[in-house]
Amino acid sequence: MMAKAERMDRAHYSQNRKTQSGTTYVYVDGTAVRKLQTAPAGRPQRQQKPSVSPAARRNRERALSMNLGYVTFLTVAAVISVLMCVNFLQLQAKGTKLQKEVTSLETQLNAAILENDSDYNRIMTGVDMEHVKDVAMNQLGMVYAKKSQIVTYEIEDNDYVRQYSEIPAE
């Protein structure tokens, strides 16, 4: 009787045995043994296709074949599709270019606005308004407007008024 450990070893390992003719046989004990494959019991029977009438066969062949008109249509459709794709890519590139140009112009505008504001502030701080008033009144003969010379208008929006001609006296 074999010991329990020997039985486990035999169940998990393959063993090589040589016969007197020198041929080596490999076998495996246990659950890893391959199952024998048996040959099929005869020729497999072909399934017969249902018979199709000649008219149906011709219709199927005609449907599968491509005539000149169909090939021309597909060619024209493919060319139009390619042209549309190329046009789309060109428009997209043009849009990107214009967007970059707008961004550049906005940057230039902001720089010009900042420069103008700084120049205006520099000029306004350099002007003595009391001196301007003195020169206007004493050298140029300007005077303040009298109450009778002031005409008040009401406007509907908060915009300014331009005077293009003399205001009629009442």
Side-chain angles (χ1 to χ4, degrees):
M1 193 158 185
M2 271 199 256
K4 193 173 186 181
E6 279 184 327
R7 274 188 263 142
M8 287 185 85
D9 286 343
R10 282 189 69 195
H12 295 290
Y13 297 103
S14 62
Q15 296 179 3
N16 295 331
R17 301 255 179 158
K18 287 190 178 181
T19 61
Q20 290 178 348
S21 64
T23 309
T24 303
Y25 294 100
V26 178
Y27 66 94
V28 178
D29 289 334
T31 60
V33 176
R34 294 183 190 159
K35 304 241 189 266
L36 292 177
Q37 294 180 355
T38 58
R43 282 180 141 185
Q45 293 184 4
R46 293 183 186 176
Q47 293 181 356
Q48 291 184 355
K49 295 181 181 178
S51 61
V52 179
S53 68
R57 191 175 304 126
R58 272 192 309 255
N59 285 341
R60 288 181 185 171
E61 289 173 3
R62 199 176 308 138
L64 293 176
S65 68
M66 293 191 291
N67 59 15
L68 182 63
Y70 187 64
V71 171
T72 305
F73 169 75
L74 288 179
T75 304
V76 169
V79 167
I80 289 173
S81 298
V82 168
L83 290 176
M84 287 176 59
C85 289
V86 167
N87 188 31
F88 174 75
L89 290 175
Q90 287 176 343
L91 289 174
Q92 192 173 22
K94 186 177 180 181
T96 303
K97 178 184 169 191
L98 290 174
Q99 188 176 16
K100 287 181 181 179
E101 188 176 331
V102 165
T103 304
S104 172
L105 291 173
E106 284 177 347
T107 305
Q108 290 176 4
L109 175 65
N110 289 335
I113 288 172
L114 287 175
E115 185 179 347
N116 286 345
D117 288 345
S118 66
D119 288 344
Y120 176 77
N121 290 333
R122 183 177 46 81
I123 290 170
M124 291 308 289
T125 56
V127 173
D128 182 17
M129 294 307 283
E130 288 299 320
H131 177 69
V132 171
K133 179 180 173 184
D134 183 46
V135 168
M137 293 180 93
N138 295 331
Q139 292 179 7
L140 300 176
M142 298 179 98
V143 292
Y144 282 107
K146 296 178 184 170
K147 285 275 189 190
S148 63
Q149 294 175 323
I150 298 175
V151 179
T152 306
Y153 290 96
E154 290 196 24
I155 55 174
E156 294 178 14
D157 54 357
N158 294 332
D159 208 354
Y160 58 93
V161 177
R162 290 188 185 201
Q163 181 178 343
Y164 295 107
S165 62
E166 289 297 318
I167 299 173
E170 291 183 22

